[in-house]
Amino acid sequence: MAIDEFGREVPGSRGHRRSPSPPRYGDDGTPSHLNEALPTSRYRKRKHRSESPPPRRKQSKVHPSTLYAEEPMLCQYLWKEANSGKGEEEYDDYRRGYCLNYVRTFFNEHMDDSWFRSLYSPLGIYRVAAQEQHRMIQEAQIFARELRESVGKKNAESDRSIFVLNARLGGGVKPTSSYSSSPSKSNSNGGNTVPSTHVFSTSAQVMQIQEVPPHVTDEQLTAALMSHCTNDAKLSEIVLYSSTPAQDLTRSCFLQAPRDVRKDIIQNLNHLGRTESNQNGAADGAHVPRKEDTYMPKTLELEVECSDAYGRLEMDADGKGTSPEEGGCVPARNEVVWVSTQPITPTVKVLSVAVSSRVRIQQDKDAAIELANAFDHKRDVPRDCRLGVLLRIALPRLQGSDLTLQDTEDALDLSIAYLRRVHLFSFYNGCVAASNISDVFRGNNATSTIHLRLANADVILEQTQNSGSTAKQERSPKVDLLVQRLNDAIENALEESKSWDSSGPEYLVSREIDSQAKDIEKDEARTEDVWIKNHAVIDSDGRARCSFHFCRKLFKDITFLKKHLLKKHPEFLKAERAKSHDTYMMESWDKQEQRPVPPILVDCGRVFSTVPSRVLGAVEPMAADPEPELWKRQEERRKQDEEIKARYERNYDNHNQLSNDGGPPAALNQPLLEPRGPRQNGFLDVDDMHEEKVEMAFEDIEVQLQPPKKKKKKKKLL
């Protein structure tokens, strides 16, 4: 077949010989098209048209509790049927044992996951806090450098630097309509610009990875991302932040890396996706070459190898390198995550009129500065980067007598920006701080939103007060609910900050957590020596052999074998070190009242089937039996239905009785509980006709005579 200049196949002209048609009849003389499959994509191919298509099966979503429990828990009624002669105490023991086994199965399933260790291992908690401490100091240094550079570039005629102007929050505008034709960020912010001073410096340096499964560790995700990077990147410049898991245990991660590294990863992933799609199209017959595609999707697919949490490919049966009896390899497992190519932009909202009033600026400024100073002392921020020093540089008149209201407002806005960027603290949204920056980037935290004050708040308040009546003005003014909530939140935050030690932090997390983290590190160091001794086989001549069943290499002495074990088999040492965390993690797990476990399923019989129930409790976790409450609700609904039915029948009987008695008609606004009169309709009985006489008078009526019509001439026919 001919090919054009783009490589596409061109069908031959009519003068060429056409391909022969397929035979119309088979060997037995029957038409061949009856034995062919119908051209449909909904059903599988079948041999004959008379056969019915296979039924379509609905893929029901599996409940997450089935991963940790083989069968649902029985309700009390079903359990007593299966165990006759036993009472409520035995059923409580059954529930207690079921829930305890369920909670411990969840613990054993996720004890090696990185997100689980960051929540329950003292050393994991300590490392997350150290990572956040490093980010906080780095952000404070960048904040101070940007402010000093902006003040140095300020013109002599200008009163404010660009850094101070970009921190102002007083220009918020309420959107006229909540409807938006496009779900973009600009529309979601209601036309308000994002103040750049309040934006994190790392917002432009991170890349978001969405829908990360719980069994994918941070190390595996980082390794999968860096495998698509061809540039030489320093490990010190690569940081992965992991957010708190959601209810389905999926989380979002954010990779902080230089711009060229992130750009290289995205381009390689995009090129890999186009290559696979072109190969699939060529396999289907669509081998037409296309021009270079410059389209960049919003998300890119990334495959992560997550067979083992520590990267082991073989099994160590007894901790001394012995091969297991059945299969020595770890089963392969891969998961797909999604890499976002879109920049991270914060959400902007406008505060209410009462909160935006300029009357609050002075007290809010004092509270914000006091909170920032308390956080700086508690977290040991470098002294040249603290808010008190920076405010004197940015606003020299702040301590003088010529202080203006604009200076006070700029000090408040700078303090709010400093609290958000350095300490992840939200001033206007509950006065709460986020535990890590990944939750802020994900958007499910109070600090994720930047709040602007309404521009014309004082004018609106004045108009509202003037429009009120004299009687309302004489009454005591009501306190706005949003103002009261903000005042309470600020007061609670200030009370909590007074309990902090102003001399500086003696520990990073707490005295207990820091002590336990040091004990785990010492235990890991001892574990390394024991692990090397267990995997070394010393011969009679002093040579050392690796005891792993898949290696068995021989070395001159134990020194060379130690280097070999640490370089070639570090994943097994990492797994052995992880055992030092188990005892502390189990103690922390048992003390928690509400654990991140999915609710269990309770079998409540044929009427209600399986019903989810949460597992609560620290030492003895327990799930409530929902069946009695379900029967109670059903009985209440049945009584309500019977009352409605009886009321309807009573109203219907009263209506029929009044219709037969010929009572007065009921008003339209009369309630249904009161009987109405007979229905008035347009029915007319022909046997009960009433003659009505109508008198017509024509005395005062003037009848206008019509003028005579003009005669039309008839046309003569020619």
Side-chain angles (χ1 to χ4, degrees), residues 499-510:
S499 62
W500 299 339
D501 190 2
S502 60
S503 61
E506 298 179 359
Y507 42 81
L508 187 60
V509 182
S510 65

Side-chain angles (χ1 to χ4, degrees), residues 77-142:
Y77 179 78
L78 294 180
W79 185 84
K80 286 185 177 180
E81 280 189 348
N83 301 272
S84 59
K86 295 184 179 180
E88 295 183 0
E89 295 183 359
E90 288 81 358
Y91 178 70
D92 291 340
D93 294 339
Y94 162 74
R95 280 197 303 159
R96 192 177 296 107
Y98 183 94
C99 295
L100 183 61
N101 185 36
Y102 178 80
V103 167
R104 289 186 174 176
T105 304
F106 183 92
F107 177 87
N108 295 332
E109 185 71 21
H110 297 286
M111 62 184 300
D112 293 328
D113 297 341
S114 58
W115 68 268
F116 195 83
R117 290 182 174 272
S118 65
L119 294 177
Y120 297 101
S121 172
L123 184 57
I125 297 173
Y126 184 87
R127 288 173 177 173
V128 172
Q131 185 188 52
E132 174 57 29
Q133 179 78 5
H134 177 72
R135 184 215 62 83
M136 179 198 63
I137 295 175
Q138 186 178 10
E139 187 70 33
Q141 294 173 351
I142 295 174

Side-chain angles (χ1 to χ4, degrees), residues 521-538:
E521 288 180 343
K522 294 178 182 178
D523 194 9
E524 287 182 350
R526 292 191 297 266
T527 301
E528 180 178 343
D529 298 335
V530 177
W531 178 79
I532 292 175
K533 185 181 298 184
N534 291 335
H535 292 83
V537 179
I538 308 299

Side-chain angles (χ1 to χ4, degrees), residues 374 401 640 645:
S401 59
Q640 292 177 0
K645 184 178 179 181

Side-chain angles (χ1 to χ4, degrees), residues 103 268 298 304 311 377 425 687:
V103 167
N268 291 334
K298 293 184 179 180
V304 183
H377 286 290
F425 186 85
D687 297 331

Side-chain angles (χ1 to χ4, degrees), residues 507-572:
Y507 42 81
L508 187 60
V509 182
S510 65
R511 192 182 305 276
E512 181 182 4
I513 295 296
D514 291 10
S515 176
Q516 291 177 354
K518 293 180 181 179
D519 294 341
I520 293 176
E521 288 180 343
K522 294 178 182 178
D523 194 9
E524 287 182 350
R526 292 191 297 266
T527 301
E528 180 178 343
D529 298 335
V530 177
W531 178 79
I532 292 175
K533 185 181 298 184
N534 291 335
H535 292 83
V537 179
I538 308 299
D539 294 344
S540 57
D541 54 355
R543 293 186 298 179
R545 184 182 297 274
C546 179
S547 66
F548 282 106
H549 61 91
F550 52 86
C551 183
R552 308 297 293 177
K553 287 186 178 180
L554 186 63
F555 296 90
K556 183 178 180 180
D557 55 13
I558 189 65
T559 304
F560 293 96
L561 176 60
K562 180 179 180 179
K563 295 180 180 179
H564 165 77
L565 290 173
L566 297 178
K567 184 178 181 180
K568 296 299 182 179
H569 311 297
E571 62 273 12
F572 292 92

